[in-house]
Amino acid sequence: MIQVQEADFCVQSLYEKLKVKNRSGAIAIFVGLVREFQGQNSSDSIDDDHCFQLEHYPGMTEHNLKEIIDDANSRWPLLEVCVVHRFGKLALNDQIVFVGVSAAHRAEAFLACDFIMDYLKSRAAFWKKETTSTGSHWVEAKESDSFSLKRWRES
């Protein structure tokens, strides 16, 4: 299941969709949240001038996510995979992304969930813009995201 949506999501209902009766031995989930803006520390206040805008390319984004899930399914024997990613204006601590994987065994579930999230960060068509009282800027990819992908290519 792939969903790209503006609305928030319910982790419990997504978790329930991952259960495969009499076959699921493990479900691994990851939920990403909006954290402090880059360059801010926890003593800075968040007010209405601060926002986080996530944009995507409809159609292309879903295609990217499907390719990532297909790749994960080719690496591990997965039962169910669910990816929900939000777009639009988000606030501090809002949920951004849900990645859930059901498998017969925990190792496959953990590895596939980690793999999907690493590839989603670098390969899905999403763009992040942060706005503060001093202006707006597009957030660039981090070197650590490229490093995370490298480990999967080497394995």
Side-chain angles (χ1 to χ4, degrees), residues 38-40 47 49-50 130-137:
Q38 290 186 4
Q40 278 194 304
D47 58 31
D49 291 335
H50 295 85
E130 292 179 356
T131 302
T132 66
S133 57
T134 59
S136 297
H137 69 278

Side-chain angles (χ1 to χ4, degrees), residues 32-135:
L33 307 173
V34 176
R35 65 173 181 252
E36 295 172 328
F37 296 103
Q38 290 186 4
Q40 278 194 304
N41 62 45
S42 57
S43 65
D44 290 336
S45 64
I46 302 295
D47 58 31
D48 290 338
D49 291 335
H50 295 85
C51 75
F52 174 91
Q53 184 76 26
L54 200 59
E55 296 185 12
H56 74 109
Y57 192 113
M60 178 187 252
T61 305
E62 292 83 355
H63 178 75
N64 294 150
L65 295 173
K66 183 182 180 320
E67 286 182 331
I68 293 166
I69 291 170
D70 289 347
D71 195 358
N73 275 308
S74 73
R75 290 170 181 251
W76 299 282
L78 307 177
L79 300 172
E80 291 290 334
V81 177
C82 176
V83 175
V84 178
H85 205 298
R86 295 181 64 196
F87 65 91
K89 187 175 179 179
L90 299 168
L92 192 63
N93 293 320
D94 279 354
Q95 298 178 138
I96 302 172
V97 62
F98 175 95
V99 174
V101 177
S102 173
H105 304 284
R106 66 184 160 90
E108 291 98 1
F110 277 128
L111 288 167
C113 191
D114 193 25
F115 171 89
I116 291 168
M117 195 58 224
D118 281 347
Y119 269 77
L120 188 151
K121 290 268 299 174
S122 299
R123 298 291 185 251
F126 287 101
W127 297 274
K128 183 176 14 172
K129 183 177 179 180
E130 292 179 356
T131 302
T132 66
S133 57
T134 59

